[in-house]
């Protein structure tokens, strides 16, 4: 005897489909996504060798989903973090669920973080890609924003590489509103207004000696 069990989905569809009422296009003019496209070929005189030209032009969609408020916050000049309503831990970069075992993946809540941070650790980049060559040396910091339990990486400006210190207070500086794109590069760190570097010492001298040739080299770049 054959029995068929009909499964009925009684669960309501709780996923609300987003309606995108705000849209901005800032792709460079003339860019059209065509995906993979053959755009030509060449064949040798003796017709023994062929090269084909394949053009790759692709529009990527980054779906931020639950993380979206962080990126919308950047557009608005705000740093949005998340906080666990159970234990009170907070995070930037954000966590959608609390990491503490006792909290049993408690969903977090959105909170606006202060525009202040402190240096957790840093590095001075003396080598980088073509796009940033002329800005070397670049100071990259992992900084703790507010009372976040994790650090976030970004550039630190307006300080000499040898003057950076562990724990030094920072402020977050956003680009002008019309230049923001909802990316981490919408802001950078600068020393807090009330901060001043400590006097030169042996370690600072050592870093300066390493960094000075980079400044000289960058001067020679055209
Ligand atoms: Zn928690």
């Amino acid at each position: 005897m054959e029995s068929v069990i009909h499964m009925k989905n009684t669960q309501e569809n709780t996923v609300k489909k987003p309606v995108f009422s705000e849209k901005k296009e800032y792709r460079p003019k003339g860019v059209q996504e065509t995906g993979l496209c053959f755009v030509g070929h060449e064949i040798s005189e003796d017709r023994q060798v062929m090269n084909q030209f394949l053009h790759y032009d692709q529009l990527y969609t980054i779906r931020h989903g639950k993380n979206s408020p962080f990126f919308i916050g950047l557009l608005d000049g705000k740093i949005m973090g998340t906080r666990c309503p159970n234990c009170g831990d907070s995070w930037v970069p954000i966590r959608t669920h609390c990491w503490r075992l006792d909290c049993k993946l408690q969903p977090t809540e959105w909170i606006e973080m202060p525009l202040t941070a402190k240096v957790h650790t840093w590095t001075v980049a003396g080598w980088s890609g073509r796009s940033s060559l002329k800005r070397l040396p670049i100071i990259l910091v992992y900084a703790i924003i507010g009372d976040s339990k994790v650090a976030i990486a970004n550039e630190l400006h307006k300080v000499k590489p040898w003057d950076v210190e562990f724990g030094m207070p920072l402020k977050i500086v956003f680009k002008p509103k019309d230049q923001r794109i909802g990316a981490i590069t919408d802001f950078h760190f600068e020393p807090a207004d009330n901060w001043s570097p400590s006097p030169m010492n042996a370690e600072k001298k050592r870093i300066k000696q390493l960094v000075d040739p980079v400044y000289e080299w960058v001067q020679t770049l055209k």
Side-chain angles (χ1 to χ4, degrees), residues 5-46:
I5 301 167
H6 291 281
M7 299 295 287
K8 198 178 172 189
N9 185 2
T10 53
Q11 200 178 26
E12 274 183 47
N13 186 5
T14 53
V15 180
K16 218 174 102 193
K17 203 179 172 193
V19 177
F20 296 102
S21 57
E22 196 181 309
K23 204 169 176 183
K24 198 171 181 180
E25 284 279 348
Y26 34 85
R27 273 176 277 182
K29 276 200 178 89
V31 173
Q32 287 181 333
E33 295 79 21
T34 51
L36 286 172
C37 179
F38 285 94
V39 293
H41 64 249
E42 59 189 7
I43 298 170
S44 66
E45 214 171 12
D46 58 6

Side-chain angles (χ1 to χ4, degrees), residues 47-62:
R47 292 189 70 83
Q48 294 301 301
V49 180
M50 181 186 193
N51 293 329
Q52 262 184 317
F53 307 119
L54 182 64
H55 187 81
Y56 184 72
D57 184 3
Q58 183 69 54
L59 174 69
Y60 291 87
T61 302
I62 308 169

Side-chain angles (χ1 to χ4, degrees), residues 118-213:
K118 59 177 189 277
V119 172
H120 180 273
T121 189
W122 82 96
T123 187
V124 181
W127 183 91
S128 190
R130 185 184 286 265
S131 63
S132 50
L133 271 183
K134 288 179 188 170
R135 297 196 298 120
L136 295 179
I138 292 166
I139 307 166
L140 292 168
V141 292
Y142 268 97
I144 309 243
I145 296 176
D147 58 357
S148 172
K149 294 288 175 187
V150 288
I152 190 165
N154 214 330
E155 287 189 28
L156 172 57
H157 295 178
K158 294 195 177 169
V159 60
K160 297 292 184 195
W162 50 88
D163 280 332
V164 188
E165 294 168 16
F166 292 113
M168 73 178 276
L170 306 174
K171 63 179 178 183
I172 290 164
V173 179
F174 276 93
K175 285 180 181 171
K177 192 171 174 58
D178 62 346
Q179 291 175 25
R180 293 179 214 144
I181 58 168
I184 200 74
T185 46
D186 284 353
F187 76 90
H188 64 265
F189 294 107
E190 289 181 14
D193 292 334
N194 56 2
W195 179 85
S196 57
S198 58
M200 200 47 131
N201 59 33
E203 176 63 359
K204 288 186 173 209
K205 273 187 193 147
R206 188 183 73 84
I207 296 171
K208 190 173 184 302
Q209 278 171 4
L210 289 167
V211 162
D212 276 342

Side-chain angles (χ1 to χ4, degrees), residues 87-145:
C87 69
D89 279 2
S90 70
W91 302 273
V92 187
I94 56 120
R95 288 168 191 262
T96 55
H97 297 79
C98 184
W99 61 359
R100 285 189 188 272
L101 288 178
D102 288 347
C103 289
K104 298 184 169 61
L105 293 177
Q106 167 73 44
T108 55
E109 296 167 346
W110 285 99
I111 49 165
E112 188 176 341
M113 302 295 279
L115 298 181
T116 54
K118 59 177 189 277
V119 172
H120 180 273
T121 189
W122 82 96
T123 187
V124 181
W127 183 91
S128 190
R130 185 184 286 265
S131 63
S132 50
L133 271 183
K134 288 179 188 170
R135 297 196 298 120
L136 295 179
I138 292 166
I139 307 166
L140 292 168
V141 292
Y142 268 97
I144 309 243
I145 296 176

